[in-house]
């Protein structure tokens, strides 16, 4: 017999977003229930156990800010924490705030259907459990639907295939193995140097070369940690304005003399991290300015990689730096100087098929024992569209978003009342420190639910006009930058048939927060509030 669980709010996903949403709602007296496909908390950090996985926003910033005692008592060991440490942190949060008792694990949501008459959401799951609630929050993650490459013959490959975003919990023994890695985005770039130290041989199959900046990761010294913590409130307040505390320059690259400009690139290269791309204020809006930083990185690649042919293949030439998510590494380019690593440039020798235990290119058969796919995600919309979501009069989200996602503020979509997205398309989301974005969305949703309750409403829906204006605004913001120039997952370009729409909202998080706050202050302008 199928069982039904009722709560005021149902939350899908138990990553950083879902856990925080649950904790905050509980504090406000709403009953809430979380549904999670994995066997425990963690989201991205539960699934991405590949060698080398770590964050590239400094750990002291890539963490929750909602509890001062938590941020003071938790000690990070490295500047950029590795996956096991981040997962331990999330598990600690779940235990400390006793969150697991309201989470149903090992359960995937298949459908979410709005009942117009009762004004409630009904979620069906693969375990047969049914969840009913007034409000539904999709905390399903922007990067949670791994995508395997559609290579001819992949189903016939005799060895195991592992996606970085679904890495086995028990790990993979790579010792003595010939490993193929396909994909050279952030995941591949983190994994390849570590795999190369473990495996007998690594063949890296690269379709598009990427810009990569050194992380200069290392232990987080006690002194630095104590100093940061003594000022945590100030740091967090600034992060609410800028996302991550980088050194943002107010100078133009093109207006700066060449020697000074190169010195600034060199200084930031030596410092490491994503801070590099904020060296000048015109890099992301002016192609000529961007060429100067792109040339600098290509020059570095040629200095590091000894074989000039390999170096040439590793130099990105088809997109301006930063228009694909910038990658941060530890020894990526150096890895190609190792005897046990070969680069297979798929632009020169495309894959014909996978056959037996080989990746066969137009040049030769590369024999491997196992294949690692660091081939990315159906980003931003993948996880929500995997669920059969039906709003007013049975309208499906798939139909509504057939030409690309349409939201108001990234938080709601018209005709789907009481359904909220955390870090959804149309919000800054993946363009900023995501924990800052998550905490903002959780706070905004909590305020909205409290407002509804206080005013005697129980139904909230984005209006068509507000949504149309917002979508237009998001498109305009992207088109003022170089970002739409790359074939990136920001645009859905990595998924065949996905509409080419720039999904995140290109804006300083501080400005976006103000826009959201103003709308709330005006009684949730652009939203229809009602009593069912
Ligand atoms: P997730 O962590 O993706 O959690 C979503 C959860 O929802 C998952 O556990 C999933 O199983 C569950 N779920 C989805 N659909 C269903 C369903 N139908 N039914 C049940 N459960 C479902 N961001 C940064 O800002 N800085 C970084 O340094 C950084 N590093 C990253 C490194 C990696 C390897 C990856 C992949 C991403 C990184 N990110 C980083 C982005 C990352 O997505 C966010 O920082 C953050 O972890 C997202 O949390 P979330 O809770 O929104 O989503
Ligand atoms: O995925 P990606 P990812 N044949 O989509 C290649 C976050 N993250 O998992 O560019 C051959 O970036 C594809 O090639 P191309 C971060 O936001 C953060 O690496 O399409 N190649 C590309 O090289 C990041 O941006 C960290 O030509 C194929 C690669 O696979 C996001 O997650 C670490 C192919 C996919 O790169 C996703 O990163 C990890 C095919 N058929 C992840 N299909 C941090 O460090 C795909 N590719 C914070």
């Amino acid at each position: 017999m199928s069982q039904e669980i009722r709560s005021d709010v149902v939350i899908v996903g138990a990553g950083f977003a879902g856990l925080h949403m649950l904790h905050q709602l509980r504090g406000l007296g709403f009953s809430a229930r979380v549904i999670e496909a994995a066997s425990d908390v963690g989201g991205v950090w539960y699934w991405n156990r590949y060698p080398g996985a770590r964050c590239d926003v400094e750990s002291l910033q890539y963490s929750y800010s909602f509890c001062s005692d938590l941020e003071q008592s938790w000690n990070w060991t490295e500047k950029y924490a590795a996956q096991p440490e981040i997962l331990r942190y999330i598990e600690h949060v779940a235990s400390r705030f006793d969150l697991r008792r309201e989470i149903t694990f090992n359960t995937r949501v298949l459908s979410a259907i709005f009942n117009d008459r009762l004004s409630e959401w009904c979620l069906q799951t693969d375990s047969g459990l049914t969840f009913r609630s007034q409000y539904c929050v999709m905390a399903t993650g922007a990067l949670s639907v791994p995508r395997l490459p559609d290579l001819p013959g992949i189903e016939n490959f005799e060895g195991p295939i592992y996606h970085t975003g679904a890495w086995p919990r028990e790990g993979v023994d790579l010792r003595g193995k010939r490993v193929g890695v396909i994909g050279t985005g952030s995941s591949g770039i983190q994994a390849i140097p570590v795999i190369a130290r473990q495996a007998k041989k690594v063949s890296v199959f690269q379709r598009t070369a990427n810009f990569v900046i050194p992380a200069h990761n290392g232990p987080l010294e006690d002194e630095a940690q104590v100093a940061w913590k003594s000022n945590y409130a100030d740091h967090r307040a600034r992060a609410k304005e800028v996302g991550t505390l980088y050194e943002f320059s107010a100078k133009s690259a093109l207006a700066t003399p060449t020697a000074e400009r190169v010195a600034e690139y060199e200084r930031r290269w030596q410092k490491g991290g994503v801070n590099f791309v904020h060296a000048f204020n015109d890099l992301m809006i002016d192609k000529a300015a961007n060429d100067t930083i792109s040339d600098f990185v290509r020059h570095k690649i040629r200095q590091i990689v000894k074989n000039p042919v390999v170096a040439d293949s590793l130099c990105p030439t088809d997109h301006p730096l930063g228009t694909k998510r910038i990658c941060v590494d530890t020894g990526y380019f150096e890895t190609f100087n190792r005897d046990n690593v070969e680069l297979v440039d798929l632009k020169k020798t495309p894959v014909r098929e996978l056959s037996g235990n080989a990746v066969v290119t137009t040049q030769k058969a590369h024999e491997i024992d196992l294949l690692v796919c660091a081939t990315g995600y159906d980003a931003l919309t993948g996880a929500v569209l995997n669920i059969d979501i039906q709003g007013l009069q049975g309208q499906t989200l798939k139909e509504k978003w057939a030409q690309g996602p349409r939201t108001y503020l990234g938080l709601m979509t018209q005709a789907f009342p009481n359904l909220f997205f955390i870090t959804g398309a149309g919000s800054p989301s993946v363009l900023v420190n995501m924990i800052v974005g998550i905490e903002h969305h959780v706070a905004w949703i909590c305020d909205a639910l409290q407002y509804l309750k206080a005013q005697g409403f129980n139904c909230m829906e984005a209006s068509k006009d507000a949504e149309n204006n917002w979508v237009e605004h998001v498109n305009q913001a992207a088109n003022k930058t170089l970002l739409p120039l790359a074939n990136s997952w920001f645009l859905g370009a990595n998924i065949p048939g996905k509409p080419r729409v720039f999904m995140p909202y290109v804006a300083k998080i501080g400005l976006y927060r103000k826009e959201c706050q103003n709308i709330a202050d005006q009684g949730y302008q652009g939203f229809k509030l009602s009593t069912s």
Side-chain angles (χ1 to χ4, degrees):
M1 204 182 69
S2 73
Q3 196 194 332
E4 265 193 25
I5 299 174
R6 280 187 176 272
S7 55
D8 297 330
V9 187
V10 67
I11 302 160
V12 188
F16 269 108
L19 294 182
H20 185 43
M21 191 78 238
L22 170 63
H23 179 252
Q24 297 306 99
L25 286 172
R26 205 191 254 175
L28 295 173
F30 288 95
S31 63
R33 193 80 213 177
V34 178
I35 313 167
E36 170 55 60
S39 67
D40 203 352
V41 298
V44 149
W45 303 103
Y46 171 97
W47 295 107
N48 282 261
R49 295 165 195 257
Y50 63 85
R54 61 177 71 248
C55 56
D56 68 3
V57 166
E58 291 183 21
S59 320
L60 283 161
Q61 300 191 52
Y62 189 70
S63 50
Y64 288 122
S65 74
F66 69 85
C67 172
S68 162
D69 193 53
L70 171 68
E71 65 186 7
Q72 289 298 330
S73 60
W74 183 268
N75 289 316
W76 295 103
T77 64
E78 287 181 283
K79 184 173 169 188
Y80 300 108
Q83 173 272 334
E85 188 171 8
I86 304 175
L87 185 60
R88 273 200 303 282
Y89 169 77
I90 304 178
E91 288 170 349
H92 167 77
V93 171
S95 302
R96 180 178 174 138
F97 299 101
D98 190 19
L99 299 176
R100 286 188 182 84
R101 70 183 151 89
E102 273 143 355
I103 307 177
T104 305
F105 291 110
N106 299 308
T107 303
R108 183 166 286 281
V109 175
L110 303 176
S111 68
I113 296 174
F114 187 71
N115 182 318
D116 302 25
R117 195 174 51 80
L118 300 174
S119 186
E120 75 172 17
W121 283 96
C122 174
L123 281 75
Q124 302 286 355
T125 66
D126 62 355
S127 65
L129 286 174
T130 301
F131 293 77
R132 289 186 193 277
S133 62
Q134 184 116 55
Y135 303 103
C136 178
V137 179
M138 291 294 165
T140 41
L143 295 159
S144 58
V145 180
R147 168 149 179 98
L148 284 172
D150 38 12
L151 296 169
I154 191 165
E155 65 287 355
N156 302 327
F157 182 67
E158 285 168 6
I161 298 179
Y162 302 102
H163 192 285
T164 47
W167 202 258
R169 280 188 94 174
E170 63 282 8
V172 179
D173 187 358
L174 300 168
R175 284 170 304 178
K177 301 269 168 50
R178 296 166 302 174
V179 179
V181 181
I182 186 156
T184 51
S186 298
S187 303
I189 280 160
Q190 285 186 332
I192 288 160
V194 186
I195 293 176
R197 291 200 294 274
Q198 297 170 5
K200 182 172 161 198
K201 184 173 180 216
V202 184
S203 305
V204 177
F205 299 94
Q206 171 194 278
R207 188 165 65 185
T208 308
N210 240 320
F211 289 100
V212 187
I213 313 304
H216 297 310
N217 189 29
L220 193 53
E221 305 299 341
D222 286 350
E223 249 175 59
Q225 185 144 204
V226 168
W228 187 273
K229 286 182 175 179
S230 69
N231 244 338
Y232 233 141
D234 287 351
H235 297 318
R236 297 291 198 192
R238 269 192 64 215
K240 286 183 177 178
E241 292 303 314
V242 299
T244 311
L245 275 55
Y246 298 123
E247 287 174 76
F248 297 97
S249 168
K251 280 176 145 182
S252 145
L254 292 181
T256 302
T258 307
E260 193 185 319
R261 190 171 60 216
V262 172
E264 180 59 4
Y265 292 148
E266 184 62 35
R267 184 184 73 78
R268 288 183 182 245
W269 182 270
Q270 295 308 331
K271 208 170 169 190
V274 177
N275 193 43
F276 182 73
V277 305
H278 301 290
F280 294 100
N281 66 3
D282 47 356
L283 296 173
M284 293 312 300
I285 51 173
D286 187 320
K287 173 73 170 54
N290 193 288
D291 286 345
T292 65
I293 195 166
S294 298
D295 284 346
F296 178 89
V297 175
R298 284 188 282 263
H299 180 66
K300 284 285 182 197
I301 297 169
R302 292 203 166 91
Q303 278 182 330
I304 300 168
V305 180
K306 289 184 183 143
N307 181 326
V309 178
V310 176
D312 203 49
S313 285
L314 288 167
C315 282
T317 50
D318 75 334
H319 63 283
L321 182 146
T323 54
K324 285 190 168 195
R325 171 69 157 74
I326 196 82
C327 302
V328 168
D329 77 311
T330 299
Y332 176 66
F333 293 120
E334 290 82 350
T335 299
F336 293 93
N337 294 332
R338 292 177 67 106
D339 291 339
N340 70 334
V341 176
E342 69 169 341
L343 180 71
V344 183
D345 185 340
L346 300 182
K347 286 260 156 76
K348 292 181 186 153
T349 59
V351 175
R352 271 216 184 111
E353 59 170 341
L354 266 65
S355 166
N357 67 344
V359 177
V360 184
T361 66
T362 49
Q363 189 197 27
K364 66 181 247 197
H366 299 266
E367 292 201 348
I368 54 174
D369 300 311
L370 62 97
L371 182 64
V372 173
C373 292
T375 42
Y377 298 88
D378 185 354
L380 283 138
T381 55
V384 274
L385 291 179
N386 270 354
I387 301 171
D388 175 18
I389 302 181
Q390 298 182 23
L392 294 175
Q393 284 104 45
Q395 177 171 171
T396 68
L397 193 64
K398 271 195 191 76
E399 279 163 7
K400 178 166 178 190
W401 286 7
Q403 302 307 315
R406 303 189 68 76
T407 68
Y408 181 32
L409 301 178
L411 279 154
M412 296 193 90
T413 187
Q414 179 264 337
F416 295 78
N418 293 352
L419 176 72
F420 297 90
F421 306 105
I422 300 186
T423 63
S427 77
S429 182
V430 290
L431 298 179
V432 297
N433 175 350
M434 289 201 73
I435 312 296
V436 175
I438 285 168
E439 289 196 328
H440 168 239
H441 273 182
V442 168
W444 194 92
I445 295 168
C446 285
D447 286 350
L449 297 193
Q450 280 180 291
Y451 182 86
L452 292 175
K453 201 182 207 177
Q455 302 292 319
F457 296 124
N458 60 10
C459 198
M460 178 168 187
E461 186 200 345
S463 77
K464 188 96 186 148
D465 282 351
E467 180 175 290
N468 287 343
N469 292 338
W470 187 255
V471 170
E472 181 63 25
H473 177 55
V474 169
N475 285 334
Q476 282 173 0
N479 289 335
K480 284 183 193 151
T481 71
L482 302 177
L483 283 158
L485 295 184
N487 284 322
S488 68
W489 58 259
F490 295 144
L491 275 161
N494 62 329
I495 305 293
K498 193 165 172 169
R500 202 182 161 97
V501 172
F502 196 87
M503 295 180 281
Y505 174 39
V506 190
K508 274 234 166 76
I509 185 117
L511 175 75
Y512 170 70
R513 291 174 74 96
K514 269 196 203 99
E515 289 174 302
C516 292
Q517 190 57 49
N518 287 342
I519 283 160
D521 290 345
Q522 289 163 40
Y524 293 89
Q525 197 184 44
F527 291 97
K528 289 186 268 178
L529 310 183
S530 60
T531 311
S532 60

